[in-house]
Amino acid sequence: MNAAILSQFQDLFKGQKNIAIIGHKNPDGDAVGATLGLYWFLLDRGHNPTVVMPNDFPDFLKWMPGSDKIVNFEQHTTQVKEIIAQADLICTLDFNDLSRVGNMELLLSESEKPFVMIDHHQQPSNYAILTWSDPSMSSTSEMVAHLIEAWSGWAGLTQAIATNLYTGIMTDTGSFKFPATTAKTHRVVAALIEAGTPHSKIHQAVYDNQSPGRMKLLGRALENMVIKQEWQTAYTFLSQSDLDQCDFKKGDTEGFVNYALQLEGIKFALIFIENKSEQIIKISLRSIGDFSVNDFARQHFSGGGHINAAGGRYAGELSQAIEHLLKHLPAYKHQLHEAK
Ligand code: 5GP
Ligand code: MN
């Protein structure tokens, strides 16, 4: 990070006591890792930070240092309102628009407190007095690591900070393999390991700790996969009854969409997941190369994200959501064919 941004951070945080740190709805490893990494750093520097999430996060992240202190808006609404009312500064991490906090959106958009954004998604909205947005970054957790390095040197890393940031980088880079993983990312990771990150244990805790239900659900997703070779696209789906029969828990479908990209010749992958209680179909989109699923999700599924990983939603039936894809896909034939 450059010196000008660092000095803006330092000026803004100076003398501020209560700092609310907020992640996005359905927090993933990066949202939890980045917020908790910043939490421990600010605590060490004498601030009084609190991490708030719009709703609960997956069980496979519940070992992360400090994760037991996260306050969940869905379960503790009054407490979160109080935290926001008392905050001197509100830091939003790993999202680019207030619509990404779900039911907390009104609370945040009505707040007159100063906001800081730290994020790596494209097209950031303009709600913060300090917006540090860098879509070239692998993860928000990597950004927090750069902030700490610039602010206090790697001496500022504790094991708790490092463990959280490592988990965020690992999950957002698909274990250091997505294109946004750079030499700089690996230098950060080296520093995190030097600070005592139990990296092998983290891999086990996140990836090798699966419930039988999740494994069964993955089987369903693989079985349901449809390959549209002509458009270099593969999609799959899970109905509410698939989820119910496999004892679905939050986070269970994480990563399923990536399997379709392992198919030869496939550049574009989608998974459609029915959510009967919210009456929507949640869609995850992934691509290889320069085909932008961010654009596709924005155009057709009221969503967005990054060039190779995006999400969106469809209000209607599962079959209609898939028909919607199949209606629009042919127009992308050339673009998909040309994508490198
Ligand atoms: P996932 O498919 O894992 O839910 O999300 C992939 C990426 O797309 C994430 O970086 C996430 O922030 C973004 N994303 C997911 N859902 C939405 C959405 O509804 N709107 C926008 N703008 N981005 C989303
Ligand atoms: Mn992220």
Side-chain angles (χ1 to χ4, degrees), residues 24 28 94 96 100 120-121 172 254 257 282-286 298 301-306 309-313:
H24 55 78
D28 57 4
D94 201 36
N96 57 358
R100 299 279 293 125
H120 68 132
H121 294 89
D172 248 31
E254 195 88 32
V257 63
K282 176 83 180 83
I283 300 133
S284 285
L285 307 88
R286 300 290 186 271
R298 276 171 191 267
F301 289 116
S302 325
H306 313 271
R313 62 199 56 238

Side-chain angles (χ1 to χ4, degrees), residues 34-45:
T35 53
L36 287 176
L38 184 64
Y39 165 85
W40 288 114
F41 179 68
L42 293 176
L43 197 66
D44 291 346
R45 301 189 67 84

